[in-house]
Amino acid sequence: MTYDGITFLRKKINPRIWSHDFRTLLDRNNIDWTFWPYKKMIKSNYMDSIKTPKYWNKIVEFKLRDNSLFTKIRKHRPSQDIVRIALNQLIQNLKFSNCKINKEYIKAPGMKP
């Protein structure tokens, strides 16, 4: 099976089933493994989920725009107040106590939450 085929299957199969079956296959073949990343924003197929900060969409929109010239950057960038609020909230949301632990995902590869 090609890399593209494996990627396609992973997207079509329940991530918890995929994680368990893939980990089992690796173990059977004596292949070391790790799952990465540890945290993702608003996703349940990672160990921890992070809440999306207020104004995060403004930062994403800015990143997706054509910012090839400084004039475009200055025109499109969100205000420093909005960016400061979003990044400060992101820092707070990244704290372990503020994350949602996805126990079923952690159990899938055979780990204990």
Side-chain angles (χ1 to χ4, degrees):
M1 181 172 289
T2 67
Y3 175 79
D4 289 337
I6 291 171
T7 303
F8 173 79
L9 281 176
R10 183 175 187 270
K11 290 178 181 177
K12 293 292 180 190
I13 297 173
N14 179 317
R16 292 179 196 107
I17 294 170
W18 168 263
S19 296
H20 177 267
D21 291 354
F22 187 59
R23 193 263 316 156
T24 303
L25 176 67
L26 294 174
D27 286 350
R28 265 198 324 257
N29 289 284
N30 225 12
I31 300 170
D32 292 332
W33 55 269
T34 186
F35 285 90
W36 188 262
Y38 182 73
K39 296 179 182 180
K40 280 283 193 174
M41 207 175 284
I42 309 287
K43 299 261 183 178
S44 63
N45 59 336
Y46 293 92
M47 292 187 189
D48 290 346
S49 296
I50 307 162
K51 293 178 188 172
T52 303
K54 185 176 183 178
Y55 303 125
W56 190 251
N57 62 321
K58 301 289 184 191
I59 293 172
V60 172
E61 287 170 10
F62 173 70
K63 187 230 177 262
L64 295 175
R65 289 181 179 256
D66 175 14
N67 291 315
S68 57
L69 302 171
F70 285 120
T71 54
K72 292 180 179 183
I73 291 172
R74 285 191 287 276
K75 178 182 175 187
H76 298 150
R77 73 179 177 195
S79 74
Q80 289 184 355
D81 289 338
I82 285 177
V83 172
R84 188 175 293 112
I85 290 168
L87 293 179
N88 283 335
Q89 193 172 50
L90 176 64
I91 290 168
Q92 292 303 311
N93 292 356
L94 284 166
K95 290 181 180 177
F96 188 73
S97 60
N98 295 329
C99 292
K100 178 184 177 252
I101 299 170
N102 299 312
K103 292 180 182 181
E104 293 303 314
Y105 181 81
I106 294 170
K107 290 177 189 176
M111 298 182 284
K112 294 180 183 176

PDB file of all heavy atoms in Angstrom, residues 2-3 16 27 29 37 53 55 58-59 63 65 70 72 76-77 82-84 88-89 94-95 100 102 106 110:
ATOM      1  N   THR A   2       0.505   2.240  -0.735  1.00  0.00           N
ATOM      2  CA  THR A   2       1.289   3.470  -0.823  1.00  0.00           C
ATOM      3  C   THR A   2       1.005   4.374   0.365  1.00  0.00           C
ATOM      4  O   THR A   2       0.022   4.210   1.087  1.00  0.00           O
ATOM      5  CB  THR A   2       0.930   4.242  -2.113  1.00  0.00           C
ATOM      6  OG1 THR A   2      -0.415   4.694  -2.007  1.00  0.00           O
ATOM      7  CG2 THR A   2       1.123   3.387  -3.341  1.00  0.00           C
ATOM      8  N   TYR A   3       1.866   5.371   0.561  1.00  0.00           N
ATOM      9  CA  TYR A   3       1.670   6.363   1.625  1.00  0.00           C
ATOM     10  C   TYR A   3       0.331   7.068   1.443  1.00  0.00           C
ATOM     11  O   TYR A   3      -0.404   7.256   2.406  1.00  0.00           O
ATOM     12  CB  TYR A   3       2.827   7.369   1.600  1.00  0.00           C
ATOM     13  CG  TYR A   3       2.642   8.490   2.592  1.00  0.00           C
ATOM     14  CD1 TYR A   3       2.924   8.290   3.938  1.00  0.00           C
ATOM     15  CD2 TYR A   3       2.168   9.732   2.190  1.00  0.00           C
ATOM     16  CE1 TYR A   3       2.748   9.299   4.856  1.00  0.00           C
ATOM     17  CE2 TYR A   3       1.977  10.751   3.107  1.00  0.00           C
ATOM     18  CZ  TYR A   3       2.282  10.533   4.440  1.00  0.00           C
ATOM     19  OH  TYR A   3       2.102  11.537   5.342  1.00  0.00           O
ATOM     20  N   ARG A  16      -9.799   6.495  16.560  1.00  0.00           N
ATOM     21  CA  ARG A  16      -9.502   5.630  17.709  1.00  0.00           C
ATOM     22  C   ARG A  16      -9.214   4.203  17.252  1.00  0.00           C
ATOM     23  O   ARG A  16      -8.288   3.558  17.735  1.00  0.00           O
ATOM     24  CB  ARG A  16     -10.653   5.669  18.703  1.00  0.00           C
ATOM     25  CG  ARG A  16     -10.777   7.013  19.373  1.00  0.00           C
ATOM     26  CD  ARG A  16     -11.940   7.039  20.342  1.00  0.00           C
ATOM     27  NE  ARG A  16     -12.233   8.415  20.661  1.00  0.00           N
ATOM     28  CZ  ARG A  16     -13.284   9.081  20.214  1.00  0.00           C
ATOM     29  NH1 ARG A  16     -14.161   8.499  19.437  1.00  0.00           N
ATOM     30  NH2 ARG A  16     -13.473  10.337  20.548  1.00  0.00           N
ATOM     31  N   ASP A  27       3.572  -2.921  16.916  1.00  0.00           N
ATOM     32  CA  ASP A  27       4.084  -3.763  18.004  1.00  0.00           C
ATOM     33  C   ASP A  27       4.364  -5.181  17.524  1.00  0.00           C
ATOM     34  O   ASP A  27       5.407  -5.759  17.860  1.00  0.00           O
ATOM     35  CB  ASP A  27       3.089  -3.804  19.169  1.00  0.00           C
ATOM     36  CG  ASP A  27       3.060  -2.507  19.965  1.00  0.00           C
ATOM     37  OD1 ASP A  27       3.934  -1.636  19.745  1.00  0.00           O
ATOM     38  OD2 ASP A  27       2.151  -2.363  20.814  1.00  0.00           O
ATOM     39  N   ASN A  29       5.245  -6.133  14.714  1.00  0.00           N
ATOM     40  CA  ASN A  29       6.413  -6.150  13.834  1.00  0.00           C
ATOM     41  C   ASN A  29       7.645  -5.543  14.488  1.00  0.00           C
ATOM     42  O   ASN A  29       8.621  -5.228  13.810  1.00  0.00           O
ATOM     43  CB  ASN A  29       6.075  -5.440  12.521  1.00  0.00           C
ATOM     44  CG  ASN A  29       5.119  -6.267  11.690  1.00  0.00           C
ATOM     45  OD1 ASN A  29       5.518  -7.246  11.065  1.00  0.00           O
ATOM     46  ND2 ASN A  29       3.843  -5.916  11.713  1.00  0.00           N
ATOM     47  N   PRO A  37       0.769  15.150  17.248  1.00  0.00           N
ATOM     48  CA  PRO A  37       1.109  16.020  18.368  1.00  0.00           C
ATOM     49  C   PRO A  37       0.290  15.698  19.611  1.00  0.00           C
ATOM     50  O   PRO A  37      -0.691  14.954  19.557  1.00  0.00           O
ATOM     51  CB  PRO A  37       0.772  17.406  17.863  1.00  0.00           C
ATOM     52  CG  PRO A  37      -0.336  17.193  16.912  1.00  0.00           C
ATOM     53  CD  PRO A  37      -0.088  15.828  16.289  1.00  0.00           C
ATOM     54  N   PRO A  53      -9.181  30.311  21.024  1.00  0.00           N
ATOM     55  CA  PRO A  53      -9.253  31.618  21.685  1.00  0.00           C
ATOM     56  C   PRO A  53     -10.148  32.595  20.923  1.00  0.00           C
ATOM     57  O   PRO A  53     -10.335  32.475  19.704  1.00  0.00           O
ATOM     58  CB  PRO A  53      -7.811  32.127  21.653  1.00  0.00           C
ATOM     59  CG  PRO A  53      -6.975  30.972  21.265  1.00  0.00           C
ATOM     60  CD  PRO A  53      -7.848  30.015  20.541  1.00  0.00           C
ATOM     61  N   TYR A  55     -11.045  35.728  18.917  1.00  0.00           N
ATOM     62  CA  TYR A  55     -10.337  36.425  17.829  1.00  0.00           C
ATOM     63  C   TYR A  55      -9.321  35.557  17.086  1.00  0.00           C
ATOM     64  O   TYR A  55      -8.599  36.053  16.234  1.00  0.00           O
ATOM     65  CB  TYR A  55      -9.637  37.707  18.311  1.00  0.00           C
ATOM     66  CG  TYR A  55     -10.537  38.702  18.958  1.00  0.00           C
ATOM     67  CD1 TYR A  55     -10.277  39.181  20.236  1.00  0.00           C
ATOM     68  CD2 TYR A  55     -11.682  39.180  18.314  1.00  0.00           C
ATOM     69  CE1 TYR A  55     -11.107  40.107  20.855  1.00  0.00           C
ATOM     70  CE2 TYR A  55     -12.514  40.103  18.917  1.00  0.00           C
ATOM     71  CZ  TYR A  55     -12.224  40.552  20.184  1.00  0.00           C
ATOM     72  OH  TYR A  55     -13.046  41.467  20.780  1.00  0.00           O
ATOM     73  N   LYS A  58      -9.329  35.849  13.388  1.00  0.00           N
ATOM     74  CA  LYS A  58      -8.679  37.033  12.793  1.00  0.00           C
ATOM     75  C   LYS A  58      -7.221  36.736  12.449  1.00  0.00           C
ATOM     76  O   LYS A  58      -6.719  37.174  11.420  1.00  0.00           O
ATOM     77  CB  LYS A  58      -8.749  38.224  13.750  1.00  0.00           C
ATOM     78  CG  LYS A  58     -10.142  38.636  14.130  1.00  0.00           C
ATOM     79  CD  LYS A  58     -10.854  39.287  12.982  1.00  0.00           C
ATOM     80  CE  LYS A  58     -12.226  39.785  13.414  1.00  0.00           C
ATOM     81  NZ  LYS A  58     -13.036  40.174  12.283  1.00  0.00           N
ATOM     82  N   ILE A  59      -6.558  35.994  13.310  1.00  0.00           N
ATOM     83  CA  ILE A  59      -5.158  35.625  13.054  1.00  0.00           C
ATOM     84  C   ILE A  59      -5.072  34.654  11.880  1.00  0.00           C
ATOM     85  O   ILE A  59      -4.224  34.794  10.999  1.00  0.00           O
ATOM     86  CB  ILE A  59      -4.520  35.037  14.324  1.00  0.00           C
ATOM     87  CG1 ILE A  59      -4.421  36.140  15.390  1.00  0.00           C
ATOM     88  CG2 ILE A  59      -3.165  34.419  14.040  1.00  0.00           C
ATOM     89  CD1 ILE A  59      -3.987  35.679  16.745  1.00  0.00           C
ATOM     90  N   LYS A  63      -3.240  35.197   8.186  1.00  0.00           N
ATOM     91  CA  LYS A  63      -2.242  34.267   7.660  1.00  0.00           C
ATOM     92  C   LYS A  63      -2.595  33.767   6.263  1.00  0.00           C
ATOM     93  O   LYS A  63      -1.732  33.553   5.432  1.00  0.00           O
ATOM     94  CB  LYS A  63      -2.099  33.079   8.620  1.00  0.00           C
ATOM     95  CG  LYS A  63      -0.971  32.151   8.248  1.00  0.00           C
ATOM     96  CD  LYS A  63      -1.488  30.736   8.238  1.00  0.00           C
ATOM     97  CE  LYS A  63      -0.452  29.774   7.810  1.00  0.00           C
ATOM     98  NZ  LYS A  63      -0.538  29.394   6.425  1.00  0.00           N
ATOM     99  N   ARG A  65      -4.304  35.388   3.935  1.00  0.00           N
ATOM    100  CA  ARG A  65      -4.362  36.442   2.917  1.00  0.00           C
ATOM    101  C   ARG A  65      -3.033  36.579   2.176  1.00  0.00           C
ATOM    102  O   ARG A  65      -2.001  36.118   2.623  1.00  0.00           O
ATOM    103  CB  ARG A  65      -4.702  37.785   3.557  1.00  0.00           C
ATOM    104  CG  ARG A  65      -6.124  37.876   4.024  1.00  0.00           C
ATOM    105  CD  ARG A  65      -6.357  39.259   4.608  1.00  0.00           C
ATOM    106  NE  ARG A  65      -7.720  39.402   5.040  1.00  0.00           N
ATOM    107  CZ  ARG A  65      -8.636  40.092   4.358  1.00  0.00           C
ATOM    108  NH1 ARG A  65      -8.331  40.697   3.248  1.00  0.00           N
ATOM    109  NH2 ARG A  65      -9.865  40.180   4.825  1.00  0.00           N
ATOM    110  N   PHE A  70       4.657  44.669   2.129  1.00  0.00           N
ATOM    111  CA  PHE A  70       4.437  45.305   3.426  1.00  0.00           C
ATOM    112  C   PHE A  70       3.143  46.115   3.455  1.00  0.00           C
ATOM    113  O   PHE A  70       2.462  46.168   4.477  1.00  0.00           O
ATOM    114  CB  PHE A  70       5.617  46.195   3.815  1.00  0.00           C
ATOM    115  CG  PHE A  70       6.814  45.405   4.270  1.00  0.00           C
ATOM    116  CD1 PHE A  70       8.028  45.509   3.607  1.00  0.00           C
ATOM    117  CD2 PHE A  70       6.729  44.550   5.363  1.00  0.00           C
ATOM    118  CE1 PHE A  70       9.126  44.786   4.018  1.00  0.00           C
ATOM    119  CE2 PHE A  70       7.822  43.821   5.780  1.00  0.00           C
ATOM    120  CZ  PHE A  70       9.022  43.941   5.107  1.00  0.00           C
ATOM    121  N   LYS A  72       0.389  45.348   1.997  1.00  0.00           N
ATOM    122  CA  LYS A  72      -0.692  44.387   2.218  1.00  0.00           C
ATOM    123  C   LYS A  72      -0.703  43.895   3.664  1.00  0.00           C
ATOM    124  O   LYS A  72      -1.770  43.713   4.252  1.00  0.00           O
ATOM    125  CB  LYS A  72      -0.566  43.214   1.252  1.00  0.00           C
ATOM    126  CG  LYS A  72      -0.831  43.588  -0.192  1.00  0.00           C
ATOM    127  CD  LYS A  72      -0.698  42.390  -1.095  1.00  0.00           C
ATOM    128  CE  LYS A  72      -0.986  42.783  -2.539  1.00  0.00           C
ATOM    129  NZ  LYS A  72      -0.933  41.640  -3.439  1.00  0.00           N
ATOM    130  N   HIS A  76      -3.918  44.306   6.090  1.00  0.00           N
ATOM    131  CA  HIS A  76      -4.667  43.119   6.514  1.00  0.00           C
ATOM    132  C   HIS A  76      -4.508  42.748   7.978  1.00  0.00           C
ATOM    133  O   HIS A  76      -5.351  42.044   8.520  1.00  0.00           O
ATOM    134  CB  HIS A  76      -4.248  41.904   5.677  1.00  0.00           C
ATOM    135  CG  HIS A  76      -4.545  42.057   4.224  1.00  0.00           C
ATOM    136  ND1 HIS A  76      -3.775  41.462   3.267  1.00  0.00           N
ATOM    137  CD2 HIS A  76      -5.508  42.730   3.556  1.00  0.00           C
ATOM    138  CE1 HIS A  76      -4.257  41.762   2.063  1.00  0.00           C
ATOM    139  NE2 HIS A  76      -5.302  42.529   2.218  1.00  0.00           N
ATOM    140  N   ARG A  77      -3.436  43.176   8.607  1.00  0.00           N
ATOM    141  CA  ARG A  77      -3.158  42.671   9.945  1.00  0.00           C
ATOM    142  C   ARG A  77      -4.211  43.119  10.963  1.00  0.00           C
ATOM    143  O   ARG A  77      -4.698  44.247  10.914  1.00  0.00           O
ATOM    144  CB  ARG A  77      -1.766  43.073  10.414  1.00  0.00           C
ATOM    145  CG  ARG A  77      -1.626  44.520  10.764  1.00  0.00           C
ATOM    146  CD  ARG A  77      -0.244  44.830  11.243  1.00  0.00           C
ATOM    147  NE  ARG A  77      -0.154  46.274  11.506  1.00  0.00           N
ATOM    148  CZ  ARG A  77       0.962  46.910  11.656  1.00  0.00           C
ATOM    149  NH1 ARG A  77       2.110  46.275  11.561  1.00  0.00           N
ATOM    150  NH2 ARG A  77       0.949  48.201  11.903  1.00  0.00           N
ATOM    151  N   ILE A  82      -6.272  43.043  19.435  1.00  0.00           N
ATOM    152  CA  ILE A  82      -6.928  41.771  19.094  1.00  0.00           C
ATOM    153  C   ILE A  82      -5.924  40.624  19.155  1.00  0.00           C
ATOM    154  O   ILE A  82      -6.219  39.567  19.722  1.00  0.00           O
ATOM    155  CB  ILE A  82      -7.606  41.856  17.710  1.00  0.00           C
ATOM    156  CG1 ILE A  82      -8.880  42.687  17.838  1.00  0.00           C
ATOM    157  CG2 ILE A  82      -7.897  40.481  17.134  1.00  0.00           C
ATOM    158  CD1 ILE A  82      -9.619  42.916  16.542  1.00  0.00           C
ATOM    159  N   VAL A  83      -4.742  40.830  18.608  1.00  0.00           N
ATOM    160  CA  VAL A  83      -3.711  39.785  18.619  1.00  0.00           C
ATOM    161  C   VAL A  83      -3.292  39.483  20.059  1.00  0.00           C
ATOM    162  O   VAL A  83      -3.166  38.317  20.445  1.00  0.00           O
ATOM    163  CB  VAL A  83      -2.501  40.201  17.761  1.00  0.00           C
ATOM    164  CG1 VAL A  83      -1.355  39.207  17.929  1.00  0.00           C
ATOM    165  CG2 VAL A  83      -2.899  40.314  16.299  1.00  0.00           C
ATOM    166  N   ARG A  84      -3.109  40.505  20.860  1.00  0.00           N
ATOM    167  CA  ARG A  84      -2.717  40.319  22.257  1.00  0.00           C
ATOM    168  C   ARG A  84      -3.778  39.507  23.016  1.00  0.00           C
ATOM    169  O   ARG A  84      -3.451  38.579  23.745  1.00  0.00           O
ATOM    170  CB  ARG A  84      -2.496  41.675  22.940  1.00  0.00           C
ATOM    171  CG  ARG A  84      -1.893  41.561  24.330  1.00  0.00           C
ATOM    172  CD  ARG A  84      -1.564  42.925  24.928  1.00  0.00           C
ATOM    173  NE  ARG A  84      -0.486  43.564  24.187  1.00  0.00           N
ATOM    174  CZ  ARG A  84      -0.629  44.665  23.428  1.00  0.00           C
ATOM    175  NH1 ARG A  84      -1.792  45.269  23.330  1.00  0.00           N
ATOM    176  NH2 ARG A  84       0.399  45.179  22.786  1.00  0.00           N
ATOM    177  N   ASN A  88      -2.883  35.834  24.425  1.00  0.00           N
ATOM    178  CA  ASN A  88      -2.962  35.655  25.879  1.00  0.00           C
ATOM    179  C   ASN A  88      -3.967  34.563  26.229  1.00  0.00           C
ATOM    180  O   ASN A  88      -3.733  33.753  27.123  1.00  0.00           O
ATOM    181  CB  ASN A  88      -3.315  36.959  26.590  1.00  0.00           C
ATOM    182  CG  ASN A  88      -2.121  37.892  26.695  1.00  0.00           C
ATOM    183  OD1 ASN A  88      -0.980  37.456  26.673  1.00  0.00           O
ATOM    184  ND2 ASN A  88      -2.388  39.178  26.794  1.00  0.00           N
ATOM    185  N   GLN A  89      -5.079  34.541  25.513  1.00  0.00           N
ATOM    186  CA  GLN A  89      -6.071  33.496  25.761  1.00  0.00           C
ATOM    187  C   GLN A  89      -5.537  32.133  25.329  1.00  0.00           C
ATOM    188  O   GLN A  89      -5.791  31.122  25.985  1.00  0.00           O
ATOM    189  CB  GLN A  89      -7.386  33.818  25.069  1.00  0.00           C
ATOM    190  CG  GLN A  89      -8.514  32.929  25.551  1.00  0.00           C
ATOM    191  CD  GLN A  89      -9.853  33.366  25.014  1.00  0.00           C
ATOM    192  OE1 GLN A  89     -10.003  33.579  23.824  1.00  0.00           O
ATOM    193  NE2 GLN A  89     -10.818  33.501  25.894  1.00  0.00           N
ATOM    194  N   LEU A  94      -3.795  26.707  26.757  1.00  0.00           N
ATOM    195  CA  LEU A  94      -2.791  25.649  26.649  1.00  0.00           C
ATOM    196  C   LEU A  94      -2.452  25.015  27.989  1.00  0.00           C
ATOM    197  O   LEU A  94      -1.876  23.924  28.028  1.00  0.00           O
ATOM    198  CB  LEU A  94      -1.513  26.192  26.009  1.00  0.00           C
ATOM    199  CG  LEU A  94      -1.579  26.397  24.498  1.00  0.00           C
ATOM    200  CD1 LEU A  94      -0.413  27.236  24.020  1.00  0.00           C
ATOM    201  CD2 LEU A  94      -1.627  25.072  23.778  1.00  0.00           C
ATOM    202  N   LYS A  95      -2.806  25.667  29.070  1.00  0.00           N
ATOM    203  CA  LYS A  95      -2.535  25.083  30.383  1.00  0.00           C
ATOM    204  C   LYS A  95      -3.289  23.761  30.492  1.00  0.00           C
ATOM    205  O   LYS A  95      -4.445  23.658  30.091  1.00  0.00           O
ATOM    206  CB  LYS A  95      -2.981  26.024  31.496  1.00  0.00           C
ATOM    207  CG  LYS A  95      -2.117  27.257  31.614  1.00  0.00           C
ATOM    208  CD  LYS A  95      -2.608  28.140  32.750  1.00  0.00           C
ATOM    209  CE  LYS A  95      -1.748  29.371  32.880  1.00  0.00           C
ATOM    210  NZ  LYS A  95      -2.256  30.275  33.936  1.00  0.00           N
ATOM    211  N   LYS A 100      -9.125  19.770  27.327  1.00  0.00           N
ATOM    212  CA  LYS A 100     -10.050  18.638  27.416  1.00  0.00           C
ATOM    213  C   LYS A 100      -9.250  17.376  27.109  1.00  0.00           C
ATOM    214  O   LYS A 100      -8.661  17.237  26.036  1.00  0.00           O
ATOM    215  CB  LYS A 100     -11.184  18.787  26.400  1.00  0.00           C
ATOM    216  CG  LYS A 100     -12.141  17.615  26.423  1.00  0.00           C
ATOM    217  CD  LYS A 100     -13.201  17.755  25.342  1.00  0.00           C
ATOM    218  CE  LYS A 100     -14.089  16.532  25.352  1.00  0.00           C
ATOM    219  NZ  LYS A 100     -13.846  15.680  24.215  1.00  0.00           N
ATOM    220  N   ASN A 102      -8.918  13.733  26.011  1.00  0.00           N
ATOM    221  CA  ASN A 102      -9.683  12.813  25.169  1.00  0.00           C
ATOM    222  C   ASN A 102      -9.330  11.368  25.558  1.00  0.00           C
ATOM    223  O   ASN A 102      -8.483  10.729  24.935  1.00  0.00           O
ATOM    224  CB  ASN A 102      -9.401  13.093  23.699  1.00  0.00           C
ATOM    225  CG  ASN A 102      -9.811  14.494  23.316  1.00  0.00           C
ATOM    226  OD1 ASN A 102     -10.918  14.925  23.629  1.00  0.00           O
ATOM    227  ND2 ASN A 102      -8.922  15.223  22.666  1.00  0.00           N
ATOM    228  N   ILE A 106      -6.730   8.309  24.046  1.00  0.00           N
ATOM    229  CA  ILE A 106      -5.556   7.857  24.798  1.00  0.00           C
ATOM    230  C   ILE A 106      -5.614   6.332  25.008  1.00  0.00           C
ATOM    231  O   ILE A 106      -4.599   5.637  24.917  1.00  0.00           O
ATOM    232  CB  ILE A 106      -5.467   8.590  26.155  1.00  0.00           C
ATOM    233  CG1 ILE A 106      -5.201  10.083  25.907  1.00  0.00           C
ATOM    234  CG2 ILE A 106      -4.380   7.987  27.040  1.00  0.00           C
ATOM    235  CD1 ILE A 106      -5.316  10.966  27.124  1.00  0.00           C
ATOM    236  N   GLY A 110      -3.590   1.771  23.662  1.00  0.00           N
ATOM    237  CA  GLY A 110      -3.254   0.930  24.797  1.00  0.00           C
ATOM    238  C   GLY A 110      -2.667   1.682  25.970  1.00  0.00           C
ATOM    239  O   GLY A 110      -2.138   1.076  26.899  1.00  0.00           O
TER     240      GLY A 110
END
